[in-house]
Amino acid sequence: MSSDDGRMLQQKNLEGYVGFANLPNQVYRKSVKRGFEFTLMVVGESGLGKSTMINSLFLTDLYSTDYPGPSHRIKKTVQVEQSKVLVKEGGVHLLLTIVDTPGFGDAVDNSNCWQPVTDHIDSKFEDYLNAESRVNRRQMPDNRVHCCLYFIAPSGHGLKPLDIEFMKRLHEKVNIIPLIAKADTMTPEECQQFKKQIMKEIQEHKIKIYEFPEIDDEEEMKIIRKIKDRLPLAVVGSNTIIEVSGKRVRGRQYPWGVAEVENGEHCDFTILRNMLIRTHMQDLKDVTNNVHYENYRSKKLAAVTYNGVDNNKNKGQLTKSPLAQMEEERREHVAKMKKMEQEMEQVFEMKVKEKLQKLKDSEAELKRRHEQMKKNLEAQHKELEEKRHQHEEEKASWEAQQRILEQQKLDRLKQNKKVNIFIDQQ
Amino acid sequence: KQEVSYNAPELRLMWSNGEGARAVPLAGHVGFDSMPDQLVNKSVNHGFCFNILCVGETGLGKSTLMDTLFNTKFEGEPTQHNQPGVTLKSNTYELQESNVRLKLTVVNTVGFGDQINKEDSYKSIVEFIDAQFEAYLQEELKIKRTLHSYHDTRIHACLYFIAPTGHSLKSLDLVTMKKLDSKVNIIPIIAKSDAISKSELAKFKIKITSELVSNGVQIYQFPTDDESVAEINSTMNSHLPFAVVGSTEEVKIGNKMVKARQYPWGTVQVENENHCDFVKLREMLIRVNMEDLREQTHTRHYELYRRCKLEEMGFKDTDPDSKPFSLQETYEAKRNEFMGELQKKEEEMRQMFVQRVKEKEAELKEAEKELHEKFDRLKKLHQDEKKKLEEKKKSLDDELNTFKQKKTAAELLQNQAQQAGGSTTLKRDKERKK
């Protein structure tokens, strides 16, 4: 046997009393101490007996002359109103919130009359989400709508377009339990036909009404399947108590008899009450928390996180928390920056190298030219030197020659002089 | 008909959103009193989970105590004393008692107290506990999460095993417990308490309790707010720390087989409340307060961890004007902040590069300038040299010219002289001949 996260689990047998079989009692005790909350929404046209139904379900005058029900309040547009009552039974405290929608479906043009309803449900989800996301979390009140009783008028034909539209818009936000109101206006056969038609249309339009969870107990499941066959439940409500065969029962007095609210052969009220309050109230809350709320939350958070980011890239990454998402974005960005830095560094280095090389080349060129010129000069110098040297030699030899000639001349002159003197002497 | 007043204090504590609710009487049995049962059925179907951490030195009988508490043989061989550090070993088991399924995780500290330097001993324990909180937090923060089926690994109870010295707590114990008391429910127990005599035990307990108090260590208190268990819990609180003995060996006492430890001088019966506090521990830990331990872990220790973690990351609940942030605003603000930070860093880096490029360019330009200056200087020298050379050349040329002129003049003279000399000679000769 393995756990959900694939860890190795070993089954061990107990060889004696340990005591954790008492855990359920501990849970029981704590839950009673904590108290319970439940929010029930009722939706339907005026006059379908919604307030009467609530009073009948909870055996109280929730709506009375002091606190009139929705149909007694004339509304021009659809409102959403809450009534909170505290009830106690058998030591168990329940804070019951009833959400009314007076004006629903009563106008001539009912387009978007579901909008205030969806807005209300969403705003309760939002409140819960914000409370859950606070840094300092206190006791989180659960004001989310756990169940919506949708009242269908007993026309006997099928669902009205408004019914279909409403349920389609709300079936993924709240647990919808459709009810046939004022079922005492139909015979059992008519009722049966009507129910079949409604379920067919619900299936056709792929409307997801509240479903009973599967449980292991075969006996329980048999009962549940029986209930499923009777959906949607056809109900009758009453505020008056009538005496029938010595018993005091809630019912509606007609000249031809009394339609008893809690008589299973007259209507499905008892089934509704048992299922809504006595057996599945907790499940309605769990489904609201685990399914409807989670859907809302994940859509809301996905929108926040991917604000401005390419959605296609991130589809399928919804398993991350927004914080983890931000962390990842941060890491990605840091990596990108590092890469950019590296690239810029490379380009920089390359450019520098280029420039240095150019400089070097330039230096070499200049040096070369300078050497060339130097050599040139030196050559010229040498040439000049040689020329000079040659000239010097030439000059020297010429001068020598001249000196000889001079000497010769002098000698000759001397000689001539001597001769002349000699001649003159003669 | 039952009347209920909302002003009753216990009711007001129940629901923070109960303002404006009016109490109404019921005219009959509605049936919501089955809610606790509905809730319990759900939990039983889902199964429970409980995680115990055993902290204590090697050899204090942690594993044996677990086996005794849960009446089963868990894994593990006794460890040696030569561990280099403290590691945490965790094992998960599926147990069932009557219709209740329990996923029990037992975490043991291996090597605790064995090192010479124990300064860091508590660290791996704290890290382990934090890691479980972190895992839960991450799951809780995911966009698509499955908290309902998440296997909770957070530690619900920490059994701290105190060595039966009879004197006082070791400093390692005080340090460790101080580090753990804000993270986990600590239940201190005196291990192997059959080594202590009754009178010593009473003194030991008093000493331990006073040391814990004077060092400000917050141990787990069994809750006394629920009347049904207030009395027993309050009594048990005064028996802390529990002096326990563990044993999986059975000894025949009378006509029953009981868990016991047999000594020459007598037999210590584990489940005999005169012999040790084992039964008290089992009662408190498992039978009465297991759910409260889980609840405290979730609503107190985990919330503290979560709050610190989120504050660390800069999350706040209200803006400076004390208006509450919505989740969306918070996330967006966070995101914008950190995007802005990244962009700033990016810009800084770019600027730095621009700066470097500028500097390098200036450097190279400077070098280029120097080079050109150098060569200009050389060129000038060269020009000067050339000029000098030219001058020398000129002077030589002048000299050559002068010389040439001289030569030419001399030659002319010589030619003239020769001619004249010849004629002079002729004249002389002529004169002679006269």
Side-chain angles (χ1 to χ4, degrees), chain A residues 104-116:
Chain A
F104 181 85
D106 289 341
V108 174
D109 180 3
N110 287 311
S111 316
N112 296 324
C113 68
W114 49 81
Q115 196 63 45

Side-chain angles (χ1 to χ4, degrees), chain A residues 131 133-138, chain B residues 303 306-307 311 317:
Chain A
S133 310
R134 285 173 63 86
V135 173
N136 273 303
R137 299 196 290 200
R138 297 289 146 70
Chain B
E303 282 301 311
R306 177 182 176 278
R307 186 164 68 239
E311 277 173 1
D317 275 335

Side-chain angles (χ1 to χ4, degrees), chain A residues 17 89 137 143 283 420, chain B residues 17 30 42 287 303 428:
Chain A
Y17 171 75
E89 189 174 69
R137 299 196 290 200
N143 285 323
D283 186 66
N420 282 343
Chain B
N17 61 336
V30 176
K42 267 262 148 69
R287 209 186 69 80
E303 282 301 311
R428 291 236 182 255

Side-chain angles (χ1 to χ4, degrees), chain A residues 334-364:
Chain A
V334 166
K336 191 173 88 168
M337 278 225 303
K338 232 195 171 82
K339 187 157 165 237
M340 189 165 75
E341 188 176 0
Q342 272 178 352
E343 281 176 10
M344 279 169 105
E345 188 76 43
Q346 266 181 6
V347 167
F348 180 77
E349 292 294 316
M350 197 177 72
K351 283 255 153 73
V352 165
K353 206 166 161 199
E354 245 179 57
K355 268 242 156 92
L356 278 176
Q357 188 61 36
K358 239 176 155 179
L359 204 66
K360 231 177 170 174
D361 290 344
S362 172
E363 185 177 9

Side-chain angles (χ1 to χ4, degrees), chain B residues 104-230:
Chain B
L104 177 75
T105 301
V106 180
V107 185
N108 240 309
T109 50
V110 178
F112 188 76
D114 282 334
Q115 300 78 33
I116 295 174
N117 183 354
K118 299 186 263 263
E119 271 182 350
D120 294 337
S121 296
Y122 71 86
K123 282 197 186 145
S124 28
I125 304 177
V126 168
E127 273 167 19
F128 183 86
I129 295 175
D130 279 348
Q132 311 317 308
F133 284 148
E134 184 65 30
Y136 189 89
L137 180 63
Q138 285 304 320
E139 182 64 35
E140 200 187 23
L141 290 177
K142 274 189 193 166
I143 293 179
K144 263 200 161 68
R145 59 189 187 179
T146 47
L147 276 176
H148 179 65
S149 51
Y150 177 78
H151 178 198
D152 191 359
T153 56
R154 299 173 293 179
I155 302 295
H156 302 120
C158 170
L159 294 181
Y160 196 94
F161 288 69
I162 297 166
T165 59
H167 302 309
S168 60
L169 286 173
K170 298 192 186 164
S171 41
L172 173 65
D173 295 334
L174 279 170
V175 166
T176 309
M177 280 199 270
K178 194 85 181 92
K179 291 282 180 193
L180 294 180
D181 70 353
S182 60
K183 291 190 174 290
V184 73
N185 301 315
I186 300 181
I187 301 175
I189 57 182
I190 300 170
K192 296 193 165 177
S193 65
D194 51 350
I196 313 178
S197 77
K198 198 160 178 164
S199 54
E200 284 173 350
L201 187 61
K203 275 196 252 161
F204 191 30
K205 281 194 181 184
I206 293 172
K207 189 77 172 54
I208 292 174
T209 312
S210 77
E211 279 191 331
L212 289 175
V213 164
S214 60
N215 281 281
V217 175
Q218 304 270 18
I219 58 170
Y220 174 73
Q221 293 295 308
F222 305 119
T224 49
D225 49 356
D226 184 343
E227 321 94 33
S228 46
V229 292

Side-chain angles (χ1 to χ4, degrees), chain B residues 180-389:
Chain B
L180 294 180
D181 70 353
S182 60
K183 291 190 174 290
V184 73
N185 301 315
I186 300 181
I187 301 175
I189 57 182
I190 300 170
K192 296 193 165 177
S193 65
D194 51 350
I196 313 178
S197 77
K198 198 160 178 164
S199 54
E200 284 173 350
L201 187 61
K203 275 196 252 161
F204 191 30
K205 281 194 181 184
I206 293 172
K207 189 77 172 54
I208 292 174
T209 312
S210 77
E211 279 191 331
L212 289 175
V213 164
S214 60
N215 281 281
V217 175
Q218 304 270 18
I219 58 170
Y220 174 73
Q221 293 295 308
F222 305 119
T224 49
D225 49 356
D226 184 343
E227 321 94 33
S228 46
V229 292
E231 205 183 313
I232 186 170
N233 274 345
S234 134
T235 313
M236 293 296 180
N237 274 327
S238 63
H239 279 104
L240 285 170
F242 292 136
V244 294
V245 173
S247 173
T248 45
E249 304 287 314
E250 293 201 325
V251 171
K252 191 159 184 165
I253 304 282
N255 55 353
K256 275 207 311 181
M257 294 295 284
V258 297
K259 290 197 278 274
R261 286 173 63 77
Q262 200 150 42
Y263 291 100
W265 49 88
T267 308
V268 180
Q269 294 156 42
V270 169
E271 281 167 303
N272 185 331
E273 292 201 58
N274 286 324
H275 292 191
C276 73
D277 296 330
F278 174 83
V279 171
K280 294 193 178 70
L281 174 66
R282 187 179 58 197
E283 281 292 289
M284 289 292 100
L285 176 69
I286 301 176
R287 209 186 69 80
V288 177
N289 298 303
M290 198 179 237
E291 184 59 25
D292 185 70
L293 285 160
R294 285 161 37 92
E295 200 177 276
Q296 291 291 319
T297 303
H298 179 68
T299 57
R300 207 149 57 93
H301 300 298
Y302 169 69
E303 282 301 311
L304 180 63
Y305 175 85
R306 177 182 176 278
R307 186 164 68 239
C308 291
K309 200 68 199 287
L310 291 182
E311 277 173 1
E312 219 177 277
M313 296 204 262
F315 281 89
K316 289 191 287 283
D317 275 335
T318 55
D319 65 15
D321 302 311
S322 286
K323 273 193 310 136
F325 276 134
S326 82
L327 175 70
Q328 188 155 4
E329 284 173 17
T330 308
Y331 276 131
E332 272 181 28
K334 260 275 116 190
R335 198 154 178 282
N336 288 338
E337 185 191 318
F338 118 95
M339 281 315 251
E341 231 176 78
L342 291 178
Q343 274 176 345
K344 195 169 116 194
K345 279 213 185 93
E346 198 177 319
E347 194 50 41
E348 272 174 23
M349 187 179 78
R350 267 188 227 273
Q351 288 295 2
M352 190 197 65
F353 260 105
V354 164
Q355 188 63 25
R356 269 178 80 188
V357 166
K358 256 200 189 133
E359 282 174 9
K360 202 65 182 194
E361 262 183 10
E363 223 179 272
L364 290 173
K365 236 196 175 91
E366 191 61 39
E368 204 177 340
K369 190 163 135 201
E370 269 180 34
L371 183 73
H372 281 286
E373 276 177 7
K374 174 171 159 203
F375 279 97
D376 279 348
R377 263 179 286 135
L378 286 177
K379 196 166 171 191
K380 184 148 186 300
L381 276 174
H382 171 85
Q383 299 283 52
D384 290 344
E385 285 283 321
K386 198 165 177 192
K387 199 164 170 201
K388 273 195 206 144
L389 184 70

